[in-house]
């Protein structure tokens, strides 16, 4: 390589370095901001996770302490003093309050507590359906069968989380209304459903026998 070529290369490299330094002086702050944003975002996520964990632990500790009371009335009062910070936490607390109220014989108050959970639109559907289902069970002696049927049918829709339990209750309503054959058909459908639990299958089979029917083999028993 000639001295001229070497000189040209050195000048070219120097110009390249000058341009790079100029670029960094002008735009280097962008990189700093990006790094700070990434680090800050990670730190915020960790802080948020820690806060959520602490909130959940505090709620759990409060609920456990309230449930230590032996008398259901005292449990309901203690649970009412727990103040959750999320809608889901409030729903869990209210479901426990309703259970304590029902155990104490205050079924009307328990149904009202459950109705409060069932109508909270910001809650996941499973919370609202559990509350509705439990409220209907508590009102089996006070709510007309037609009203209970309508609400259980809504819970028994395909894909609903409590659909099989709702089907069982619909069968009981059909027995109450003097339609045992319809109840048997519905119970046979529960037996044939692959999602039915063993306990639910046993209850359906026993009820079919009590109604004078013969339980059909479940899918696991066939063949």
């Amino acid at each position: 390589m000639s001295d001229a070529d070497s000189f040209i290369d050195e000048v070219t490299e120097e110009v390249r370095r000058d341009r790079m330094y100029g670029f960094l002086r002008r735009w280097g702050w962008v990189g700093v901001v990006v790094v700070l944003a990434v680090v800050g975002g990670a730190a915020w996520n960790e802080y948020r996770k820690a806060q959520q964990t602490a909130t959940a632990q505090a709620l759990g500790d409060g609920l456990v302490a309230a449930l230590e009371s032996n008398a259901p009335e005292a449990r309901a009062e203690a649970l009412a003093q727990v103040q959750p910070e999320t809608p889901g936490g409030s729903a869990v607390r209210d479901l426990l309050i309703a259970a304590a109220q029902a155990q104490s014989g205050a079924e009307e108050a328990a149904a009202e507590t459950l109705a409060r959970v069932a109508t909270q639109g910001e809650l996941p559907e499973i919370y609202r359906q559990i509350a509705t289902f439990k409220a209907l069970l508590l009102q089996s002696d006070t709510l007309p069968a037609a009203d209970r049927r309508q609400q259980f049918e809504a819970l028994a829709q395909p894909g609903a989380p409590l659909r099989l339990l709702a089907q069982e209750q619909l069968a009981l309503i059909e027995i109450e209304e003097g339609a045992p054959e319809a109840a048997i058909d519905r119970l046979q459908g529960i037996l044939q459903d692959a999602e039915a639990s063993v306990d639910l299958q046993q209850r359906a089979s026993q009820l079919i026998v009590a109604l004078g029917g013969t339980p059909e083999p479940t899918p696991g028993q066939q063949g």
Side-chain angles (χ1 to χ4, degrees):
M1 180 181 295
S2 66
D3 291 340
D5 291 337
S6 179
F7 175 75
I8 291 172
D9 289 342
E10 290 178 5
V11 171
T12 301
E13 184 65 27
E14 188 66 29
V15 171
R16 191 178 291 117
R17 282 198 297 268
D18 287 344
R19 286 179 177 175
M20 183 184 68
Y21 292 146
F23 178 83
L24 290 175
R25 284 194 296 271
R26 185 175 182 183
W27 299 105
W29 62 272
V30 174
V32 174
V33 170
V34 171
V35 171
L36 290 176
V38 171
V39 174
W44 169 251
N45 284 334
E46 291 302 319
Y47 171 77
R48 184 168 55 84
K49 290 178 182 178
Q51 288 294 99
Q52 290 175 342
T53 300
T55 298
Q57 289 177 342
L59 174 60
D61 291 343
L63 294 177
V64 169
L67 290 171
E68 289 179 352
S69 301
N70 291 326
E73 297 91 341
R75 284 201 302 275
E77 293 177 3
L79 287 165
Q81 301 304 313
V82 178
Q83 299 299 320
E85 297 183 13
T86 64
S90 296
V92 171
R93 179 205 59 188
D94 289 345
L95 288 172
L96 292 172
I97 289 175
Q101 290 171 328
Q103 289 175 355
S104 70
E107 294 184 350
E108 184 176 349
E112 292 176 357
T113 301
L114 291 167
R116 186 166 63 244
V117 177
T119 55
Q120 291 184 31
E122 70 274 19
L123 287 175
E125 183 181 11
I126 184 62
Y127 286 103
R128 291 183 279 118
Q129 291 209 0
I130 289 174
T132 299
F133 185 86
K134 288 182 173 292
L136 287 171
L137 293 183
L138 288 174
Q139 299 175 90
S140 59
D141 295 330
T142 58
L143 195 64
D147 293 339
R148 284 184 283 123
R149 170 185 286 279
Q150 182 179 15
Q151 295 188 58
F152 277 126
E153 284 177 345
L155 295 175
Q157 295 300 311
L162 303 180
R163 63 182 183 85
L164 291 175
L165 293 175
Q167 291 283 6
E168 180 184 28
Q169 293 303 314
L170 287 169
L172 294 175
I173 291 174
E174 287 164 345
I175 295 171
E176 179 183 340
E177 293 176 334
E181 292 301 324
I184 289 175
D185 289 343
R186 191 181 296 275
L187 293 166
Q188 298 284 17
I190 293 174
L191 283 179
Q192 300 308 310
D193 196 301
E195 296 182 4
S197 68
V198 173
D199 288 343
L200 180 55
Q201 289 177 338
Q202 290 178 345
R203 291 200 303 272
S205 294
Q206 292 169 355
L207 195 50
I208 290 171
V209 172
L211 292 172
T214 301
E216 296 177 1
T218 63
Q221 296 173 330
Q222 293 175 353

